[in-house]
Amino acid sequence: MTESSVHPALWPAPHATGAVDATVTVPGSKSVTNRALVLAALSSEPGWLRRPLRSRDTLLMAQALRTLGVGIEEGVGPDGSGEAWRIIPAGLHGPATVDVGNAGTVMRFLPPVACLADGPVRFDGDARSYERPLHGVIDALRALGARIDDDLRGALPLTVHGAGALDGGPVAIDASSSSQFVSALLLSAPRFNQGVEVRHTGSTLPSMPHIRMTVDMLRAAGAQVDEPETGGEPNVWRVSPSALLGRDLTVEPDLSNAQPFLAAALVTGGRVTVPDWPTRTTQPGDALREIFTAMGGSCELTERGLTFTGSGRIHGIDVDLGEVGELTPGIAALAALADSPSTLSGVAHLRLHETDRLAALTKEINGLGGDVTETADGLMIKPRPLQGGVFHTYDDHRMATAAAVIGLAVPGVEVENVATTAKTLPDFPDLWTGMLDSDPDTVGVSPGALGIPVEKPGA
């Protein structure tokens, strides 16, 4: 793990001196947006994607699909109801080069799509992307009949030699390091000649809500899916070959990206409302309602959205985050500010994310005076008085937002490369300061003249 030197500028994290009271409109879900783009690209007819997330990860996905021949037109919906993308499927082709950045969804979801292209497709990306595991997808595609050159690294860079089709059929993989291995195969499976039967052979399977999201979105697009959640064989998913339907889909707010804003209510004993929180969703971020309530707050879900209210105290928690690992950095930040110890478990796979998140959280929180210890599958956090200092992000968006949460309670926290939040949460610094300054009756997070006093070191 190396500290980022790409964007060394330090962002003074605002320090709150009163209770937050704001309404925060959170941009759309990255996970939904990128799955929807893949399914629309493989459909038999054009479709609409409304309120898509525009962030580095989703723009990389859209550009990659354009490179393969898919039409993606950005504008407003047919009824003028806001931003929408029109996706027009086309024959996939190479030669092409795909830049995955450091987006797990792009590097894992698109090699199966590239197998359906006519010609070679090269995948490359950021330096960190070379270190993230792809063996589950590469080995599975080879077993299903694909030709892939990766110099036997099981990682980027690689070239998929698309033949215009893929046989498909049964395949066994170990997806213990990423549930995206399963989702990657399922998303393209309706276009495989025999569909696919994916059998997970590992002892654990993280982030199951994301697989449920994949299955739900496949079914909504007309695919036939047999899976464990509906009485199928445990750890086995089957997708039959079929045409996919073009859809008119509105993207839900990204509930995981709502985490730092809800955490602000918990830290300051305030109140934050997130409009359009869905009553039913497969997003892992929905677990925040239960987890943050256990840590000392209360929530109410109404037609307006989710309103979360802090009690003025943060309680430690003993929680298995195996299904919702992406929430770990924000929860760790709160745990460092709590009134009792916390144990976060079930997240060994976070060592393989944008950075080694367990090592990074341990180093950076301890660097502010904390007491965090890595375990085999998580973290033990004992609250201690923290002081200001530089919080490195390692080009990881969730490290940056976790630092901002700590900064609310600890003066003098400086976040290195806060711009990395653009990966999934564009304009985070403005959203954050806007929340602290906002009129609580204003939907959105633009700065206003009303609100709590906020110290902004260096401003």
Side-chain angles (χ1 to χ4, degrees), residues 159-185:
T159 298
V160 175
H161 294 273
L166 192 69
D167 287 341
V171 65
I173 64 171
D174 183 351
S176 299
S177 58
S178 177
S179 68
Q180 289 177 353
F181 295 167
V182 175
S183 288
L185 297 169

Side-chain angles (χ1 to χ4, degrees), residues 284-302:
D286 195 44
L288 289 168
R289 291 192 289 161
E290 179 180 352
I291 294 170
F292 278 8
T293 296
M295 296 188 78
S298 61
C299 64
E300 181 182 16
L301 185 59
T302 66

Side-chain angles (χ1 to χ4, degrees), residues 385-400:
L386 302 181
Q387 71 270 351
V390 175
F391 196 105
H392 298 94
T393 62
Y394 310 92
D395 293 323
D396 187 330
H397 55 133
R398 300 208 191 277
M399 289 293 293

Side-chain angles (χ1 to χ4, degrees), residues 364-456:
E364 298 309 315
I365 295 175
N366 287 351
L368 301 181
D371 185 355
V372 182
T373 304
E374 276 194 68
T375 65
D377 71 338
L379 300 171
M380 292 182 62
I381 303 172
K382 298 177 182 178
R384 292 177 57 181
L386 302 181
Q387 71 270 351
V390 175
F391 196 105
H392 298 94
T393 62
Y394 310 92
D395 293 323
D396 187 330
H397 55 133
R398 300 208 191 277
M399 289 293 293
T401 54
V405 169
I406 293 175
L408 290 173
V410 180
V413 173
E414 294 184 295
V415 185
E416 174 258 353
N417 189 17
V418 74
T420 194
T421 52
K423 186 177 193 293
T424 63
L425 188 53
D427 304 320
F428 171 74
D430 289 341
L431 293 174
W432 192 248
T433 55
M435 170 194 68
L436 294 169
D437 291 341
S438 73
D439 178 343
D441 294 325
T442 300
V443 176
V445 288
S446 58
L450 303 177
I452 66 168
V454 180
E455 296 177 6
K456 297 171 185 161

